[in-house]
Amino acid sequence: METVMQRADVCGNVIDTWVKASPIWQVRADLLCSVPGIGPTTAYILLAELPELGTLSRREIASLAGLAPWTRQSGKWKGKSMIGGGRAPVKAALYMAGLVASRHNPVLKLFRDRLVQAGKPKIVAIIAVARKLLTILNAILRDQKQWQAA
């Protein structure tokens, strides 16, 4: 009987073959993978589930992915800000990529550390890193330029 890991490995190889067979997808995947914290799996999820990446504004793409903050408020009453909606596979992939990038990407690590120092909960900081990572990826695909640390 085939295990889940074997099946996932086969699917990963098939997707990898499809991406490498298409010059356009290969270029887009290479651009996405140039960012520290983004691997082939995350790149393939973004290519498949978020084809609008690189064509929308930073606010529109964050909203589409479900990473845009919105505040519950009415009149003078103001509730907490939260995220919601969006595409679940994209949000999950970007959360994990944000977690990795906050440890291995110097720019995003500094950003996360600054938020935590300011008193933000760690999970809020990771979501902010995921949103920032998404806007960086959006700009990279829009400009067709690889990641360059500032």
Side-chain angles (χ1 to χ4, degrees), residues 63-108:
S63 181
L64 196 58
L67 293 173
W70 55 279
T71 306
R72 290 188 53 196
Q73 63 184 26
S74 176
K76 293 183 180 180
W77 178 80
K78 184 175 179 181
K80 291 186 175 183
S81 294
M82 61 188 79
I83 61 169
R87 298 177 183 168
V90 173
K91 194 187 311 185
L94 285 170
Y95 174 80
M96 291 308 293
L99 196 59
V100 172
S102 69
R103 294 181 184 170
H104 301 287
N105 186 324
V107 174
L108 296 175

Side-chain angles (χ1 to χ4, degrees), residues 37-124:
I38 300 293
T41 303
T42 305
Y44 297 163
I45 289 171
L46 292 174
L47 287 174
E49 299 284 341
L50 200 60
E52 301 89 354
L53 193 62
T55 62
L56 301 175
S57 72
R58 63 186 173 93
R59 289 187 176 110
E60 291 170 330
I61 202 71
S63 181
L64 196 58
L67 293 173
W70 55 279
T71 306
R72 290 188 53 196
Q73 63 184 26
S74 176
K76 293 183 180 180
W77 178 80
K78 184 175 179 181
K80 291 186 175 183
S81 294
M82 61 188 79
I83 61 169
R87 298 177 183 168
V90 173
K91 194 187 311 185
L94 285 170
Y95 174 80
M96 291 308 293
L99 196 59
V100 172
S102 69
R103 294 181 184 170
H104 301 287
N105 186 324
V107 174
L108 296 175
K109 182 180 185 337
L110 184 66
F111 177 67
R112 180 199 169 271
D113 292 345
R114 194 174 67 233
L115 289 174
V116 171
Q117 282 287 335
K120 298 289 183 190
K122 290 181 182 178
I123 188 106
V124 171

